[in-house]
Amino acid sequence: MLFLGISNAIIGGAARNIGLTPFQIGLFLAIQNIGFMIGVSAAGAMADSYEKPKILFVGSLILAASFFSFYLTGSLWLNLFIMLLIGLGVGSYEGVTDPMLLEMHDKNQSLHINVNHFFVTFGSIFMTVYLIFLQMNWRTSLTQAAIAVVLLAVFFAFARLKNKGSQAGDYLDRVRILSRERLVVVLFLATILVVGVELGMVGIVTTFLMELRGFSQVTSKIGLLAFLAGIAVGRLIIGFFTRGDQAARYILLLFGLATIFFGLMVTLRLGQWSYVTIFLAGLAMSALLPLMITLAGQTYPEMAGTVTGSIKVAIPIGGILIPFLMSLVARSASLQSAMLVFPLALLLAFVLLWLELRRVPVPLDPGA
């Protein structure tokens, strides 16, 4: 998952060095998201039937080869294909690691998944800092990352982890079953909303602080760091306090708190106290995605890979839809109006989950 975070920062960190235009940047990110959607859904489905380390072995080989070969030549189409493979590789990590953790650990499952997703955020921060402060050539950084992924592939080649039990029915049968489950649909929609808010906030927070709150270039970036720190800290701390039979309760609580903190942040002029509100907003929403993945895997343990992989397809969708909606509102109204998309999206997710969990209490492992 560290390398998933690193791959997310590749284009942002190397675009200026490569000489990519804004159009090309958007094209590369879109292709990576398509590869991610294919990888996460396919790997998640296979995780219910095949040994998970073997899937991770193949994904690691794809990712290592992609890191080695990215922009060795100037061919746009070839590098777009390599970007698709990067998405496939990290999609296999995202699709397999969470169901594998659910299978390996009978207790404190939410803690392990929160820590797992902490390393996505850490990987993005690590790659950015590595490129900026150490002045490393981006090509050298990618080559080093590829070597590390090759070592991972060697580990996965020799690792053994038999699937617990046997999975009845093929992939399409499992998808048909899950598509009729309202909880799965609600979790899918909530994932779109929460991921869209997180990525949209990362992209707009410095502009928001400078244009609407009078912050400078430097102090606005401190606001971005406060948000990322809130996410990183929250994924560690909240995971320690959440138990298996409390996941649904914590999801509703965190959605409610995130709605409040985002509402305060975008409506009130708090001066330097804005840092505190931004940090708390990141803290509140930090564990939402890991907890929803935990809830899905625990509710459908016999097909944990398929259900978590299906829900994770919503990750790139949310990263596209919510920022696009914000841009439309900002263009037709104002940036202030566009910022209201954040608390409204979180409120919608809270209402959807509250109605569904109130209708059908979720059966979880009482010993977790």
Side-chain angles (χ1 to χ4, degrees), residues 326-344:
M326 286 184 58
S327 67
L328 291 179
V329 175
R331 184 174 183 178
S332 61
S334 65
L335 177 58
Q336 179 63 54
S337 299
M339 295 299 295
L340 293 174
V341 169
F342 291 148
L344 291 176

Side-chain angles (χ1 to χ4, degrees), residues 307-320:
V307 68
T308 56
S310 299
I311 289 172
K312 288 176 180 179
V313 172
I315 293 175
I317 296 176
I320 295 170

Side-chain angles (χ1 to χ4, degrees), residues 234-280:
R235 284 181 172 170
L236 291 179
I237 293 179
I238 296 173
F240 278 102
F241 288 98
T242 308
R243 294 297 177 262
D245 58 347
Q246 298 174 329
R249 188 183 313 162
Y250 271 84
I251 289 170
L252 290 176
L253 174 63
L254 291 174
F255 263 119
L257 290 174
T259 302
I260 293 171
F261 291 135
F262 270 93
L264 292 174
M265 180 189 69
V266 303
T267 57
L268 299 180
R269 291 183 173 273
L270 300 172
Q272 296 303 311
W273 288 100
S274 295
Y275 292 136
V276 177
T277 309
I278 291 172
F279 175 82
L280 292 175

Side-chain angles (χ1 to χ4, degrees), residues 102 109-110 113 247 289-299 364:
L102 288 169
Q109 293 174 322
S110 61
I113 292 182
L289 178 60
L291 286 177
M292 288 192 291
I293 292 170
T294 302
L295 179 62
Q298 289 178 328
T299 307
L364 296 179

Side-chain angles (χ1 to χ4, degrees), residues 27 66 96 102 149 180 183 200 213 245 262 274 309 316 338:
L27 193 58
S66 303
V96 174
L102 288 169
V149 175
R180 293 193 292 266
L183 177 62
R213 297 296 182 264
D245 58 347
F262 270 93
S274 295

